[in-house]
């Protein structure tokens, strides 16, 4: 059942699960996925926690205790989410030890309402690292303009970071630059660079969803022939940028000091269009030293019928550029698409977080002890 997943791992792609819930932790399911499905990491986001806590089981006792203590809803939510991340990190600790800290990682995101506030993002990242208190945590910071200096500052303090919501090639280069600047700060501060890790979460399927919609609006045969190609082209050119940056003289100096490369992580790899094969963003994004974080349905589909045929990224850059150029020639603005997707990504996570605050507050009120 997991031959394709093993082949994927053997090609240098780390398989991370894009989901977490208390039930997944306590039932032994997460441990089982690590043992049987080559899962070596976990990512979370506000939408995942909203789904887990609002509809899940296993949270009532902690919610009751928090209600009894009369904590604020923000504090309650952080206590709940960091507890799940801490427990998942403990389950993944053997993987972390075995891979010298590269994998065995669990990501937790700063409050999405802070996406455009640099100082608050830095403060929240430090607080989350302290709250979870596990070396195999990654703090997720969105790749907004305000997020870039926060990434540098947080890396400079020795905190490992998962940079999220990257859609554009230009922004991805800015993210890599922010990471290197952070490593330089950490080095100047005398920190051990070998203990600092980072991934850059480059989003995939949402690019096709938006560009395909615009191609349908153009409506020509030429436009229809380009559907389902832009997301892969975009991600493949991101890997080209990764290869360039992490072979530069600037990087070589940091590598000599013990630094780790910031791996490209393919995010949003669940296929949105049922016309496409459900393993499209796994099979066609195989490259060394990358991460693919998959929803469980994509993980199961890959295990069942994924076609892992070796590296499907290097050697495709010229074709990828031609495909994005062809989209642009039809009047579809790349810059407009990626900015829209970034804005929508922040808004969606903020909406999920706000929904979660409301549902958690309702639960705290329901479970609060009655006054004598």
């Amino acid at each position: 059942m997991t031959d394709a997943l093993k082949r994927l791992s053997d090609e240098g792609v780390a398989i991370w699960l894009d989901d977490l819930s208390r039930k997944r932790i306590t039932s032994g399911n997460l441990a089982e996925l690590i043992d049987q499905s080559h899962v070596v990491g976990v990512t979370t986001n506000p939408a995942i926690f909203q789904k887990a806590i609002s509809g899940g089981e296993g949270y009532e006792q902690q919610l009751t205790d928090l209600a009894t203590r009369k904590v604020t809803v923000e504090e309650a939510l952080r206590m709940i989410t960091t507890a799940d991340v801490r427990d998942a990190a403990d389950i993944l600790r053997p993987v972390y030890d075995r891979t010298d800290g590269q994998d065995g990682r669990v990501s937790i995101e700063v409050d999405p309402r802070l996406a455009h506030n640099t100082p608050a993002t830095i403060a929240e990242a430090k607080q989350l690292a302290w709250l979870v208190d596990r070396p195999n945590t990654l703090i997720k910071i969105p790749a907004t303009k305000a997020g870039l200096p926060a990434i540098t500052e947080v890396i400079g303090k020795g905190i490992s970071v998962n940079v999220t919501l990257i859609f554009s090639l230009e922004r991805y280069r800015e993210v890599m630059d922010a990471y290197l600047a952070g490593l330089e700060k950490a080095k100047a501060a005398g920190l051990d660079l070998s203990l600092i890790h980072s991934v850059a979460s480059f989003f995939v399927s949402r690019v096709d969803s938006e560009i395909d919609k615009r191609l349908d609006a153009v409506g020509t045969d030429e436009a229809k022939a380009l559907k389902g190609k832009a997301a892969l082209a975009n991600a493949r050119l991101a890997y080209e940028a990764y290869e360039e940056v992490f072979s530069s003289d600037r990087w070589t100096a940091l590598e000599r000091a013990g630094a780790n490369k910031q791996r490209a992580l393919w995010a949003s790899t669940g296929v949105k269009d049922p016309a496409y094969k459900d393993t499209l963003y796994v099979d066609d994004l195989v490259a060394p030293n990358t991460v693919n974080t998959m929803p469980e349905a994509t993980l199961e589909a890959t295990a069942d019928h994924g076609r892992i045929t070796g590296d499907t990224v290097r050697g495709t850059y010229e074709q990828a550029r031609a495909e994005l150029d062809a989209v642009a020639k039809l009047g579809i603005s790349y810059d407009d698409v990626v900015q829209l997707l970034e804005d929508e990504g922040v808004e969606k996570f903020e909406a999920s977080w706000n929904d979660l605050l409301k549902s958690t507050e309702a639960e705290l009120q329901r479970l609060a002890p009655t006054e004598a």
Side-chain angles (χ1 to χ4, degrees):
M1 182 76 169
T2 57
D3 282 354
L5 296 175
K6 183 180 188 305
R7 285 197 296 276
L8 191 61
S9 299
D10 290 344
E11 290 290 341
V13 181
I15 299 166
W16 290 8
L17 177 70
D18 193 29
D19 191 56
L20 188 63
S21 67
R22 191 154 297 176
K23 184 178 180 183
R24 195 181 285 285
I25 291 165
T26 57
S27 67
N29 173 263
L30 177 58
E32 186 178 287
L33 290 174
I34 295 164
D35 184 50
Q36 298 179 14
S37 299
H38 303 277
V39 169
V40 292
V42 167
T43 48
T44 68
N45 61 45
I48 284 170
F49 278 127
Q50 199 267 338
K51 179 184 173 188
I53 297 167
S54 299
E57 52 192 80
Y59 296 99
E60 187 147 309
Q61 184 58 60
Q62 188 178 13
L63 280 163
T64 301
D65 292 343
L66 292 165
T68 303
R69 288 174 50 212
K70 298 182 179 178
V71 303
T72 65
V73 63
E74 282 88 356
E75 184 184 353
L77 203 44
R78 274 310 181 204
M79 291 298 102
I80 293 166
T81 56
T82 55
D84 280 359
V85 169
R86 193 180 306 116
D87 288 344
D90 288 344
I91 294 168
L92 279 154
R93 183 60 189 261
V95 177
Y96 170 85
D97 292 336
R98 187 176 74 241
T99 61
D100 292 326
Q102 178 159 272
D103 288 308
R105 296 275 175 177
V106 186
S107 298
I108 184 168
E109 190 153 345
V110 297
D111 186 330
R113 297 172 297 179
L114 308 178
H116 302 296
N117 184 328
T118 303
T121 294
I122 295 165
E124 169 95 344
K126 288 159 60 180
Q127 172 77 354
L128 283 175
W130 176 82
L131 269 174
V132 177
D133 193 26
R134 295 294 185 273
N136 51 329
T137 309
L138 291 172
I139 306 303
K140 287 180 87 171
I141 297 176
T144 56
K145 277 292 185 187
L148 295 170
I151 293 157
T152 295
E153 192 66 26
V154 172
I155 290 287
K157 294 183 182 302
I159 297 170
S160 294
V161 171
N162 176 344
V163 184
T164 188
L165 289 176
I166 308 170
F167 295 95
S168 83
L169 295 167
E170 180 185 1
R171 184 57 53 83
Y172 179 42
R173 286 184 178 275
E174 292 174 336
V175 165
M176 290 187 283
D177 181 71
Y179 175 60
L180 296 185
L183 289 174
E184 287 159 353
K185 287 188 78 153
K187 183 183 176 186
L191 298 180
D192 184 349
L193 300 192
S194 71
L195 299 178
I196 303 171
H197 287 260
S198 183
V199 295
S201 295
F202 200 87
F203 278 55
V204 185
S205 67
R206 295 187 196 181
V207 173
D208 270 343
S209 296
E210 183 60 33
I211 289 182
D212 283 359
K213 185 168 66 177
R214 299 184 187 208
L215 290 168
D216 280 335
V218 173
T220 63
D221 289 342
E222 183 186 6
K224 289 173 185 173
L226 288 167
K227 287 183 66 176
K229 294 185 176 178
L232 289 173
N234 199 38
R236 287 165 169 170
L237 293 176
Y239 192 80
E240 181 187 39
Y242 158 85
E243 288 189 303
E244 182 186 314
V245 169
F246 289 102
S247 60
S248 66
D249 291 342
R250 183 185 183 192
W251 164 250
T252 302
L254 288 164
E255 190 173 36
R256 285 198 198 103
N260 300 289
K261 290 179 180 177
Q262 181 187 55
R263 286 182 293 173
L265 178 151
W266 311 129
S268 183
T269 56
V271 172
K272 305 280 196 290
D273 188 334
Y276 302 152
K277 62 178 180 178
D278 53 3
T279 59
L280 176 66
Y281 304 126
V282 179
D283 298 352
D284 290 9
L285 285 177
V286 177
N289 205 36
T290 56
V291 180
N292 195 310
T293 185
M294 308 179 202
E296 190 168 22
T298 305
L299 181 74
E300 290 175 349
T302 303
D304 183 61
H305 52 265
R307 291 180 55 81
I308 309 304
T309 57
D311 190 331
T312 50
V313 173
R314 292 181 296 184
T316 66
Y317 305 144
E318 192 174 328
Q319 179 189 348
R321 253 186 294 278
E323 286 166 349
L324 287 187
D325 286 347
V327 169
K329 283 173 185 169
L330 293 173
I332 296 170
S333 167
Y334 176 86
D335 290 342
D336 180 63
V337 167
V338 293
Q339 188 59 56
L340 174 72
L341 291 172
E342 180 186 305
D343 293 342
E344 284 183 350
V346 172
E347 288 166 9
K348 284 175 183 174
F349 281 168
E350 189 172 332
S352 293
W353 195 250
N354 285 331
D355 287 345
L356 186 48
L357 284 167
K358 287 176 191 167
S359 60
T360 302
E361 186 169 35
E363 282 297 282
L364 290 171
Q365 290 172 354
R366 181 178 72 82
L367 296 166
T370 53
E371 298 294 334

